[in-house]
Amino acid sequence: MRLIDRLPRLGRRRFLRGGAGALPAAALLAGGVAVSATRVWGEDAKALKPGSAVTLVRVARDIYPHDRIPDIFYARAVLMLDAAAVSDNTLRDLLEEGVMRLDADARDRFQSPYLEVAGESDRVALLEAISAGAFFKKVHGALTVSFYNQHELWPRFGYEGSSAEYGGYLHRGFDDIDWLPKS
Amino acid sequence: MAKFDHDDDSLAVIIGSGAGGGTLGNELAQKGIKTVILEAGPRFEIADFVNDEWPSFAQLAWTDMRTTSGTWQIAHDFPNLPAWIVKAVGGTSIHWAGASLRFRDWEFKTRTVYGHVPGANLLDWPISLAELEPYYAKAEFKMGTTGTNGIPRLPGNNNFKVMAAGAARLGYKEVHTGNMSINSQPRDGRGSCQQIGFCFQGCKSGAKWSTLYTEIPKGEATGNLEVREKSMVLRIEHNDAGKVNAVVYIDADGNMRRQKARVVCVACNSLESPRLLLNSASSKFPDGLANSSGQVGRNYMRHTTASVYAAFDRPVHMYRGTTMAGIIRDEGRNDPTRGFVGGYEMETISLGLPFLAAFLKPGGWGRSFTSGVDDFSNMAGMWIIGEDMPQETNRVTLDPVAKDKFGLPVASVHFDDHPNDIAMREHGFRQGEAVYEAVGATRTFRVPPYPSTHNLGTNRMSEKPRDGVVNKFGQSHDIPNLFISDGSQFTTGAGVNPTLTIVTLAIRQADSIAGMMGKNEI
């Protein structure tokens, strides 16, 4: 079978081309800012407090934990949400208040802010407790699109994306499965 | 290309340009009947389509507000997106997968064959398979359906091969790559399938039949068909005698227009068609047009659907190649010993990573969810599509609160699963899992219904006016020059994909309309 390289090189140009269709173009640009793995994501936030953005990156990974995916993809998804909040005060307040509440819950139960709760299962328990609320639903719903819709993420899951420009899969393995048992 | 006057009252006016409206428009034009199609959406061409799920959805999908209620899971998962259909010239024939199956004989007479099913509003169609067979043949020829007219079936992709291997181990007999209106070899000026995938996003090679680049340009070439894009019809008007005579719409420039008509054919899909009839209520027809039976909007069907995905220890790459060219037909029979009436098909389906994340478990998160997404490249998938029971209370009504940008009430869709639907879905889940487990699936996923692509029954055909909205020609019982030309005229939904039957009925209806016009009956 023709397999695909799951670890393509990350490049800034490709980053700028990627992004979520359901979000405005401004969000895509904001997502392209954070290309260096050494940058602190929070400082790229335009609407959110830096600390809130960093917490949301942790929340994003706890919602969609993929151990093979580096933080940068979660950060980009959060920065798209941040970009949407630049012109939407209601959204910004929802996110800021949501993070505050999450930190308060974390301090009550684990004596530290969310980001510093060490155990994933403890953080997940905190999220479960608020999963019916508007903050969680907003973050989860936005991530479903903005996290998984990053083109640069797709090869890491073995997804090849657009195919028409390559002539489809007619000569690229549409029927190349080679491990099925003989019937 | 024709351009007709707004005061021309000799025209057939068709509302909607999908499988029903687009086909009817061409058929009438070929007969020399001057026809205008009003399409709410814009006109794209093949080059505009994108192999990218979310941007394509933003480009093509009908996302105007709708509301939902009822026990169906859609009302919970996608409360404002009950249907996944297209707002563009070509309608949902851009998005459809291409599966083109004839109804079986008994599926036209379910009240007789299934008997009384409590809670179901079953009714026999006023037509039989035998009456439709010549028109099915015309539709298959027109659409280039594989497995008919000597057209070879498509080659099977990896996703099909997994399903077929499992089906063989289970002893299923009727397993192949389907009857697909997708060219397996060049035909009718269109090339053959390139195994691109992305069948739902608009076919980039044009191998899949869509009215956008088959019926509509052929009709336009006659000089008898004008298609007006971005033209949203608000209401249908009638004269004192109770015959429809005009439609009022907002044109591409945002101006309100009134197009006179000799005949009006409604083909807006099963949510918008009843909405338009209800929004056209007048002092003469206070309950909406063609609604003396009270059946407009009722008996909404959406097929009993679900998907089974399965993860394997080795790669499948299910998204490579034709999305739905693969079928197991053995469960299509009516065998009440299974615990339900009617049958279902198992058809290959695949999603790209973005949509798999959205649909695998709507609302899902955490490791139980993401470990499934991690299996993406090793997954196979199938869609279960079976007959659902018409119920009077499953219906499209006008929302009492929500309005569209023109101030008209939006469609509100209520749906409760019938016990028969639930039993069939459970059976389909079990059989689907068994197919994949037979070839070594390490994990299976029961995926709930997607927003409905098969919207049916809300203006149903009936022999007696009191039981439905239209007669055997799709002509409304109440208003002789008002026709329904889409899947909303289905009396029952059968256990197969509906498009072939929509096209078949449109071809037949064109003959009827031409005949009635020729005799000055309408």
Side-chain angles (χ1 to χ4, degrees):
Chain A
M1 289 185 77
R2 183 177 65 80
L3 304 179
I4 66 167
D5 180 3
R6 284 171 174 258
L7 282 175
R9 212 162 38 83
L10 285 179
R12 184 179 172 83
R13 265 184 77 199
R14 290 270 297 159
F15 254 89
L16 290 169
R17 280 173 48 207
L23 291 169
L28 302 185
L29 292 174
V33 172
V35 289
S36 161
T38 59
R39 294 273 296 269
V40 179
W41 320 122
E43 290 176 5
D44 288 323
K46 299 285 189 292
L48 296 169
K49 295 174 190 162
S52 303
V54 172
T55 297
L56 282 173
V57 173
R58 181 76 252 180
V59 169
R61 183 181 282 284
D62 290 333
I63 288 176
Y64 288 137
H66 293 286
D67 300 334
R68 70 176 75 173
I69 305 301
D71 274 347
I72 187 170
F73 291 99
Y74 295 96
R76 281 186 58 200
V78 168
L79 288 173
M80 288 183 208
L81 198 52
D82 170 75
V86 166
S87 57
D88 185 344
N89 290 339
T90 309
L91 174 60
R92 189 195 61 204
D93 293 348
L94 178 73
L95 296 173
E96 289 288 4
E97 285 163 20
V99 170
M100 272 174 57
R101 158 89 189 275
L102 199 53
D103 277 338
D105 291 351
R107 287 195 181 89
D108 280 352
R109 288 180 64 175
F110 304 109
Q111 294 74 51
S112 62
Y114 184 86
L115 200 58
E116 290 162 27
V117 175
E120 179 180 321
S121 58
D122 290 339
R123 294 193 306 273
V124 166
L126 290 167
L127 292 177
E128 273 171 354
I130 60 161
S131 63
F135 166 71
F136 182 90
K137 285 186 169 177
K138 181 68 200 178
V139 173
H140 174 270
L143 284 176
T144 305
V145 179
S146 61
F147 177 71
Y148 289 108
N149 204 33
Q150 300 176 67
H151 291 197
E152 295 71 26
L153 194 70
W154 296 348
R156 293 164 185 259
F157 289 93
Y159 180 50
E160 296 166 83
S162 182
S163 88
E165 64 269 42
Y166 305 112
Y169 291 104
L170 187 59
H171 306 294
R172 295 193 308 133
F174 81 100
D175 65 347
D176 65 353
I177 195 164
D178 55 10
W179 53 263
L180 284 168
K182 299 276 181 279
S183 54
Chain B
M1 211 173 284
K3 185 148 177 53
F4 298 115
D5 195 275
H6 282 97
D7 289 323
D8 187 339
D9 59 5
S10 70
L11 302 176
V13 173
I14 301 172
I15 306 163
S17 63
T23 302
L24 179 65
N26 180 33
E27 291 288 316
L28 291 177
Q30 299 293 337
K31 295 174 191 297
I33 295 170
K34 292 188 291 178
T35 302
V36 169
I37 294 180
L38 299 172
E39 164 56 52
R43 187 162 185 160
F44 298 107
E45 297 302 340
I46 287 173
D48 300 322
F49 297 151
V50 286
N51 278 185
D52 196 342
E53 289 172 321
W54 283 117
S56 176
F57 185 83
Q59 177 186 47
L60 298 174
W62 188 295
T63 51
D64 298 5
M65 170 64 98
R66 287 167 175 148
T67 58
T68 52
S69 60
T71 59
W72 59 329
Q73 195 166 336
I74 294 292
H76 174 266
D77 292 343
F78 308 100
N80 297 119
L81 192 74
W84 180 0
I85 57 178
V86 171
K87 186 176 186 178
V89 175
T92 308
S93 75
I94 293 173
H95 166 75
W96 81 306
S100 305
L101 304 167
R102 294 185 182 194
F103 281 27
R104 300 163 180 92
D105 179 60
W106 85 81
E107 288 173 324
F108 288 98
K109 42 190 181 186
T110 55
R111 178 63 183 85
T112 300
V113 175
Y114 302 164
H116 174 66
V117 177
N121 193 23
L122 286 168
L123 185 71
D124 290 355
W125 287 61
I127 42 177
S128 65
L129 176 63
E131 282 173 89
L132 270 196
E133 272 173 344
Y135 292 98
Y136 268 132
K138 287 182 183 185
E140 288 161 346
F141 182 80
K142 174 195 284 288
M143 300 163 87
T145 306
T146 62
T148 77
N149 295 286
I151 302 168
R153 294 191 199 276
L154 290 159
N157 67 357
N158 290 341
N159 199 26
F160 168 72
K161 288 182 172 183
V162 174
M163 187 174 87
R169 292 204 160 191
L170 256 61
Y172 281 135
K173 300 292 183 224
E174 198 177 348
V175 183
H176 50 69
T177 60
N179 299 97
M180 304 295 290
S181 294
I182 297 177
N183 280 350
S184 57
Q185 54 194 23
R187 187 177 185 278
D188 197 25
R190 294 180 288 117
S192 62
C193 176
Q194 302 299 300
Q195 300 289 335
I196 293 169
F198 295 100
C199 299
F200 295 160
Q201 281 71 34
C203 178
K204 290 289 285 180
S205 77
K208 181 183 79 179
W209 179 89
S210 167
T211 57
L212 174 63
Y213 41 79
T214 59
E215 304 305 303
I216 287 169
K218 286 180 184 181
E220 288 172 328
T222 66
N224 296 320
L225 175 64
E226 179 187 357
V227 178
R228 296 183 196 152
E229 64 171 337
K230 301 177 192 166
S231 296
M232 177 74 190
V233 175
L234 308 182
R235 65 178 180 275
I236 301 166
E237 296 187 337
H238 61 81
N239 61 18
D240 292 342
K243 291 178 82 173
V244 293
N245 61 0
V247 301
V248 174
Y249 70 100
I250 304 293
D251 72 9
D253 298 321
N255 301 311
M256 190 176 289
R257 297 284 189 178
R258 185 172 184 275
Q259 174 64 57
K260 289 189 177 175
R262 178 174 174 185
V263 175
V264 174
C265 305
V266 180
C268 322
N269 204 304
S270 289
L271 304 189
E272 292 301 314
S273 287
R275 176 188 177 221
L276 178 58
L277 296 181
L278 295 172
N279 269 333
S280 300
S282 65
S283 53
K284 189 175 183 70
F285 299 113
D287 298 324
L289 299 185
N291 198 22
S292 66
S293 64
Q295 293 289 311
V296 169
R298 293 187 184 272
N299 312 303
Y300 171 59
M301 296 171 286
R302 46 132 18 242
H303 276 140
T304 294
T305 64
S307 304
V308 177
Y309 289 86
F312 295 86
D313 61 344
R314 278 165 286 186
V316 178
H317 295 290
M318 64 176 171
Y319 56 85
R320 291 181 187 168
T322 324
T323 307
M324 202 167 272
I327 192 167
I328 302 171
R329 303 215 60 186
D330 298 56
E331 301 289 358
R333 69 194 190 279
N334 176 42
D335 174 7
T337 64
R338 292 177 296 182
F340 53 89
V341 297
Y344 65 89
E345 309 288 340
M346 302 154 106
E347 301 173 349
T348 55
I349 199 167
S350 62
L351 298 170
L353 185 81
F355 275 12
L356 187 89
F359 293 123
L360 182 66
K361 185 184 179 196
W365 61 282
R367 287 195 182 268
S368 67
F369 174 80
T370 54
S371 62
V373 179
D374 284 336
D375 289 332
F376 176 79
S377 60
N378 291 19
M379 266 186 194
M382 71 164 73
W383 197 45
I384 293 154
I385 171 241
E387 180 164 20
D388 60 340
M389 291 295 106
Q391 301 178 72
E392 271 206 317
T393 49
N394 285 349
R395 63 187 292 206
V396 174
T397 54
L398 299 178
D399 192 282
V401 178
K403 304 267 196 294
D404 68 11
K405 63 179 174 180
F406 307 116
L408 293 174
V410 305
S412 180
V413 187
H414 179 91
F415 191 93
D416 299 313
D417 283 312
H418 187 279
N420 197 76
D421 307 343
I422 294 168
M424 179 187 286
R425 183 177 293 120
E426 177 63 24
H427 193 273
F429 274 140
R430 280 204 311 271
Q431 293 308 113
E433 288 169 341
V435 164
Y436 290 132
E437 283 162 0
V439 279
T442 52
R443 183 179 177 186
T444 56
F445 303 84
R446 293 183 169 202
V447 172
Y450 314 119
S452 316
T453 47
H454 299 175
N455 301 283
L456 305 167
T458 50
N459 294 303
R460 74 177 182 179
M461 218 181 247
S462 65
E463 185 183 350
K464 297 183 180 117
R466 66 160 192 256
D467 293 330
V469 179
V470 297
N471 67 15
K472 64 194 294 185
F473 303 112
Q475 180 183 30
S476 76
H477 288 302
D478 298 349
I479 302 173
N481 64 338
L482 175 64
F483 292 78
I484 302 294
S485 315
D486 60 18
S488 70
Q489 63 185 318
F490 281 27
T491 310
T492 51
V496 297
N497 312 58
T499 300
L500 178 71
T501 302
I502 292 172
V503 173
T504 298
L505 291 172
I507 297 170
R508 181 170 178 269
Q509 187 178 67
D511 282 357
S512 311
I513 289 174
M516 293 181 209
M517 286 175 81
K519 286 185 259 176
N520 271 319
E521 293 171 359
I522 52 174

